[in-house]
Amino acid sequence: MTVTMSGAEGTDWKGPRGRLTKELLTHTIPNLSSRRVHLCGPPSMMEATKAILTELGVAPGQVKTEVFGATKPKPSAAGTSSKPTAPATGPLVTFSKNSKSAKIHVDQSILELSEELAIGIEFSCRVGTCGVCKVKMTSGEVEMAVEDALEPDDKVNGIILACQAKPKDDVAVEA
Ligand code: FES
């Protein structure tokens, strides 16, 4: 068995690091193109891996997939969304690509607010480990209880995990 770990910085992990690559797959799996492949994970990982497998000559019919839990939230029909009852009084969050802004409720994450507004930020684990909900923050400040899915480069580039991000100040994100 081969295990590769992304976000291994700061750990004593001695094995391969980073996401699945063409090189890792060809190096560790002989005759890959003639095998059946089972993929399980968040959508972004699955799409990237399927593209690699295609490049390596694995026919689509040989690839079985199982997405864990990730779906785009469907916009709620008018009047049917379950909004918290108290008016929001927290910092203002702006979703710049959707041209929508709203104040956040106490202890609400940016992902939860985005769902109220039908923004469509993708997610999977909702606990800060998969990275599916990454979005770029262009202004403001957030705190995140768990940020395991963030690479050092992400932090430098203002990427946050929407499922964990609680605004400390007015915030704008590219979503
Ligand atoms: S949904 Fe997995 S890190 Fe946010």
Side-chain angles (χ1 to χ4, degrees):
M1 182 170 76
T2 300
V3 177
T4 182
M5 184 187 290
S6 58
E9 294 75 14
T11 73
D12 58 2
W13 175 251
K14 303 272 190 303
R17 292 178 174 228
R19 299 195 172 158
L20 287 174
T21 62
K22 213 189 311 187
E23 292 68 32
L24 184 70
L25 290 175
T26 47
H27 184 70
T28 55
I29 307 169
N31 308 318
L32 178 61
S33 63
S34 63
R35 293 180 183 254
R36 187 172 350 157
V37 178
H38 291 261
L39 283 179
C40 180
S44 57
M45 178 280 254
M46 307 262 278
E47 290 311 312
T49 307
K50 278 196 254 181
I52 293 173
L53 290 170
T54 301
E55 276 185 58
L56 293 174
V58 180
Q62 292 166 231
V63 182
K64 308 292 173 208
T65 59
E66 181 182 347
V67 177
F68 62 74
T71 54
K72 277 197 164 196
K74 295 181 182 65
S76 308
T80 61
S81 63
S82 55
K83 292 192 174 131
T85 45
T89 55
L92 186 72
V93 180
T94 300
F95 299 93
S96 56
K97 286 188 190 164
N98 282 266
S99 304
K100 288 185 181 171
S101 299
K103 288 192 170 187
I104 201 152
H105 290 268
V106 175
D107 221 27
Q108 190 178 35
S109 69
I110 288 180
L111 178 61
E112 290 163 342
L113 179 62
S114 77
E115 289 173 323
E116 272 186 33
L117 299 173
I119 299 296
I121 294 177
E122 288 192 22
F123 64 90
S124 183
C125 69
R126 300 183 81 103
V127 293
T129 57
C130 75
V132 173
C133 68
K134 285 180 185 179
V135 289
K136 185 173 174 64
M137 179 173 69
T138 51
S139 66
E141 197 180 349
V142 297
E143 54 188 15
M144 291 179 278
V146 180
E147 43 185 59
D148 294 356
L150 289 182
E151 313 278 349
D153 272 5
D154 290 334
K155 295 181 187 178
V156 171
N157 292 318
I159 304 296
I160 60 170
L161 299 174
C163 72
Q164 296 296 300
K166 309 255 171 92
K168 296 167 78 173
D169 201 351
D170 289 355
V171 161
V173 294
E174 287 182 355

